[in-house]
């Protein structure tokens, strides 16, 4: 009898150990978010935590496509996913829907812990004082430019949109071929929302009044860039990574893009680069004497409210936010760190010289409207902007309809 009990106890212990050894965290991220950068980091975590395994699932090349997939999975209360990357604009929506697990209970001394982080990413990950996600990396849009071409034609880095247009037209004409003077995102995606807001902000406008002279000036500039062939005819279909690849191929003089593009341009990319060593980064131009402005970007790790492995998931999130991991992401992927100290780190600055000089711009980046209604807000802005860029709506009609539809959502 004693032997039987001992055998049963041993079997249960072995079963329990086996179960612990096979805890698997299913992590979802977009294909554009470079799983090859994250996989070695996950491998390191697994070595430190042999009872935890990580499986990456990828899908969706845009924020919208990824959000559509996650919405379908989480609305069904599916517990398949444990962790997922979400755009910073999604936090309020996921919190309101009850899809993201609050992390406060899993982060000891939360307020002290978060003091080492930039305020922007922390604010974006928080709703009602609770932390609903762990910042993965922050981001902002910048103006990338070809240093070699500006030098060749004795041109200065533009500080105003008028300067950009004049310089771009001159160099584009001289270079001929497929050279684009200016590349921006005009497809119905989040990048287009940011491009529109930046054009409005740098004209002194505000999202609360998109039917203003500033917004008309900004959207008009984008539309006119296409009409004058400064920008590609297909700009209304241009997505973020399309812009990156076209610049990387040597076909763009000035381009709006996020920090991740830098690593690609330097050769840390699946595609070959023709611009290594020839790329500069600067603040987004402004209209007249207005100030530069950029849009807060970045992504966050959220734990599914339906996950069966929440404690293990939270442990992985804190590992991904650690100084060493953030440094490696910055060096290998040009991701803007969430930790303040890394903007003065020698290794990070060597790999990304512009990080230090543009730090003040990153910290002053402006958020998109923070509301649980954001999916609808985004849809209204990006669809109208894309239609105006395509020429299927006038600038006035696009802004008038945008204002009408946004007003009740932003009260």
């Amino acid at each position: 009898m004693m032997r039987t009990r001992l055998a049963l106890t041993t079997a249960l212990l072995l079963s329990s150990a086996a179960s612990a050894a096979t805890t698997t965290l299913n992590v979802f991220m977009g294909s554009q978010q470079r799983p090859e950068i994250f996989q070695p980091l996950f491998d390191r975590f697994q070595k430190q935590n042999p009872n935890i395994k990580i499986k990456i699932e990828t899908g969706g090349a845009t924020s919208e496509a990824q959000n559509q997939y996650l919405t379908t999975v989480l609305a069904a209360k599916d517990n398949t996913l444990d962790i997922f990357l979400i755009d910073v604009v999604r936090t309020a929506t996921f919190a309101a829907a009850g899809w993201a697990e609050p992390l406060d209970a899993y982060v000891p001394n939360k307020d002290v812990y978060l003091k080492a982080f930039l305020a922007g990413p922390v604010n974006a990950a928080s709703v009602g004082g609770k932390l609903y996600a762990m910042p993965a990396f922050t981001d902002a849009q910048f103006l990338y430019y070809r240093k070699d071409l500006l030098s060749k034609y004795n041109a200065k880095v533009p500080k105003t949109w008028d300067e950009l247009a004049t310089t771009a037209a001159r160099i584009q004409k001289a270079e001929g071929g497929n050279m684009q003077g200016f590349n921006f995102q005009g497809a119905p995606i989040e990048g287009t929302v940011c491009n529109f807001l930046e054009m409005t902000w740098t004209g002194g406008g505000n999202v609360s009044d998109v039917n203003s002279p500033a917004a008309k000036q900004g959207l008009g500039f984008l539309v006119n860039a296409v009409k004058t062939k400064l920008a590609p005819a297909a700009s209304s279909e241009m997505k973020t990574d399309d812009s990156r690849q076209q610049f990387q191929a040597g076909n763009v003089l000035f381009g709006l893009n996020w920090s991740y593009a830098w690593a690609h341009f330097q050769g840390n990319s699946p595609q070959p680069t023709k611009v290594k060593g020839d790329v500069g980064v600067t603040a987004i131009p402004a209209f007249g004497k207005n100030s530069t402005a950029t849009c807060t970007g970045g992504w966050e790790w959220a734990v599914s409210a339906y996950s069966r492995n929440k404690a293990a998931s939270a442990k992985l999130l804190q590992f991904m936010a650690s100084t060493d991991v953030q440094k490696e992401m910055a060096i290998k992927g040009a991701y803007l760190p969430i930790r303040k100290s890394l903007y003065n780190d020698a290794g990070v600055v060597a790999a990304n010289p512009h990080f230090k000089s543009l730090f003040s711009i990153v910290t002053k980046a402006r958020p998109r409207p923070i509301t649980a209604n954001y999916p609808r807000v985004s849809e209204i802005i990006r669809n109208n902007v894309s239609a105006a860029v395509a020429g299927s709506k006038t600038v006035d009609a696009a802004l008038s309809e945008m204002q009408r539809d946004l007003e009740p959502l932003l009260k």
Side-chain angles (χ1 to χ4, degrees), residues 298-348:
W299 291 73
E300 307 163 343
W301 297 110
V303 174
S304 171
Y306 310 113
S307 169
R308 296 175 179 174
N309 305 301
K310 293 175 183 175
S313 296
K315 188 174 185 178
L316 173 60
L317 267 51
Q318 290 175 75
F319 170 82
M320 295 302 293
S322 66
T323 302
D324 287 349
V325 168
Q326 286 286 305
K327 180 174 179 176
E328 185 168 328
M329 288 173 59
I331 291 173
K332 293 186 177 180
Y335 292 106
L336 285 166
I338 57 173
R339 290 183 174 270
K340 304 172 192 175
S341 62
L342 289 174
Y343 288 85
N344 288 311
D345 181 272
V348 171

Side-chain angles (χ1 to χ4, degrees), residues 189-229:
I189 61 167
E190 276 303 310
T192 296
V193 175
C194 289
N195 283 183
F196 169 73
L197 291 176
E198 288 156 354
M199 299 302 293
T200 301
W201 293 333
T202 57
N206 193 290
V207 69
S208 63
D209 183 8
V210 295
N211 203 12
S212 64
K216 184 174 181 177
Q217 176 182 233
L219 183 55
F221 183 91
L222 298 180
V223 170
N224 194 55
V226 177
K227 286 182 178 178
T228 59
K229 299 184 180 180

Side-chain angles (χ1 to χ4, degrees), residues 65-86:
Q66 293 163 42
N67 186 61
Q68 185 176 22
Y69 171 73
L70 288 173
T71 297
T72 301
V73 171
L74 296 169
K77 299 185 178 181
D78 191 323
N79 62 13
T80 305
L81 298 178
D82 296 292
I83 299 168
F84 39 83
L85 271 178
I86 56 172

Side-chain angles (χ1 to χ4, degrees), residues 120-233:
V122 172
N123 292 338
S126 305
V127 178
K130 289 185 177 181
L131 190 69
Y132 278 90
M134 182 67 72
F137 54 90
T138 190
D139 214 345
Q141 283 198 325
F142 306 107
L143 181 71
Y144 289 89
Y145 61 92
R146 288 283 297 278
K147 293 190 300 183
D148 57 330
L149 291 177
L150 292 189
S151 177
K152 179 179 177 180
Y153 293 99
N154 195 28
K156 294 181 180 180
V157 177
K159 293 186 177 180
T160 69
W161 288 112
D162 285 344
E163 288 174 358
L164 181 145
T166 300
T167 300
R170 177 166 68 91
I171 296 178
Q172 185 182 30
K173 181 179 180 180
E175 286 291 301
N178 297 320
M179 179 59 64
Q180 301 171 23
F182 177 51
N183 184 292
F184 66 94
Q185 291 84 60
I189 61 167
E190 276 303 310
T192 296
V193 175
C194 289
N195 283 183
F196 169 73
L197 291 176
E198 288 156 354
M199 299 302 293
T200 301
W201 293 333
T202 57
N206 193 290
V207 69
S208 63
D209 183 8
V210 295
N211 203 12
S212 64
K216 184 174 181 177
Q217 176 182 233
L219 183 55
F221 183 91
L222 298 180
V223 170
N224 194 55
V226 177
K227 286 182 178 178
T228 59
K229 299 184 180 180
L230 201 67

Side-chain angles (χ1 to χ4, degrees), residues 13 25 82 84 90 94 106 166 198 235 290 292 321 391 407:
L13 288 172
L25 299 180
D82 296 292
F84 39 83
R90 311 287 181 200
F94 276 56
Y106 302 97
T166 300
E198 288 156 354
S235 290
N290 287 294
T292 182
E407 210 163 273

